[in-house]
Amino acid sequence: QSVGGGGGRGGDAFAGTVQGASLAVGGKGGVGGNGGIVNVCLDQTDSSLNAQCEALPPVNAAATEIVTTGDNSKGVFAHSVGGGGGNGGFSVAASASIGLSGAFAIGGAGNNGGDGGAVNIDGSVASVSTSGDEAGGVVAISTGGSGGNGGFAVAGTVTIAAGDAGAGFAVAVGGDGTTGGTGAAVSLNLEGTVTTAGDRSSAVMAQSVGGGGGNGGASVAGSISSPSSTQVNLAVGGQSG
């Protein structure tokens, strides 16, 4: 199994002011790491990272039997998975002023999920047998990591009119979610008998799955002001990946 690390989360941001405007911008999340290539060479005595299965002489395949008895105990399992993208940081901005106040908050964007690597199972065995539930015989999967979520944003103002006029502006923009990683090619070249007895136990499964996109960040904007003041509030949610 090869697993890419998850991307780090973006930093959060807080900003506040009395008599003025404030701006807070959340940090962007980190990129998820890619999963590496996984090769399983069943009829060889040795292998190394990224080695081709035909590079070494085969052993006596007729003498090789793989048996598992517990639940979730797969006979042969090869999996490469990309790490999930980091989430964007959230942001909060607030302002309290006489006459004119403004608060602007922007949530951080998520970052992309890592790609799954190629997965290959090759060789010959006499038999692979499992008896537990959810215990597949031969399973090969490449999975892309999920995209990071956008950070949420909150902006608010309190405005007291100066004379007969005042205005408060609150703008909040949620961070964008990002795309998930892709699943890579999966190949099975297996000779032998595969038997399973438990529930939800596929004899042979080859699967390549892309990661889901990240969610867009939520946003909230609000103002409190005296009756003679003008309020402008704008909240925009982030796009999904």
Side-chain angles (χ1 to χ4, degrees):
Q1 188 174 41
S2 177
V3 181
R9 185 177 182 275
D12 302 323
F14 303 87
T17 186
V18 176
Q19 199 59 39
S22 61
L23 171 65
V25 181
K28 185 175 182 177
V31 179
N34 295 329
I37 297 172
V38 176
N39 283 328
V40 177
C41 309
L42 293 174
D43 56 1
Q44 293 182 4
T45 57
D46 190 18
S47 64
S48 60
L49 183 64
N50 297 337
Q52 298 299 315
C53 288
E54 65 270 20
L56 296 172
V59 298
N60 183 8
T64 303
E65 295 183 353
I66 299 173
V67 179
T68 69
T69 58
D71 293 342
N72 300 300
S73 299
K74 298 171 178 59
V76 179
F77 179 66
H79 188 198
S80 179
V81 56
N87 296 324
F90 66 82
S91 63
V92 178
S95 174
S97 301
I98 297 174
L100 179 64
S101 62
F104 306 91
I106 301 173
N111 218 321
N112 295 335
D115 296 331
V119 177
N120 174 49
I121 297 178
D122 194 301
S124 301
V125 293
S127 64
V128 177
S129 176
T130 70
S131 57
D133 292 338
E134 298 183 356
V138 179
V139 179
I141 305 174
S142 177
T143 307
S146 58
N149 299 317
F152 68 83
V154 178
T157 63
V158 177
T159 307
I160 300 174
D164 294 330
F169 301 90
V171 179
V173 180
D176 289 342
T178 52
T179 58
T182 59
V186 175
S187 66
L188 286 173
N189 183 20
L190 180 67
E191 182 178 349
T193 301
V194 181
T195 304
T196 64
D199 294 336
R200 301 174 300 279
S201 299
S202 302
V204 176
M205 182 173 75
Q207 188 177 56
S208 180
V209 183
N215 299 316
S219 62
V220 178
S223 296
I224 300 174
S225 65
S226 57
S228 58
S229 297
T230 299
Q231 303 177 43
V232 178
N233 302 313
L234 174 63
V236 181
Q239 293 184 349
S240 61

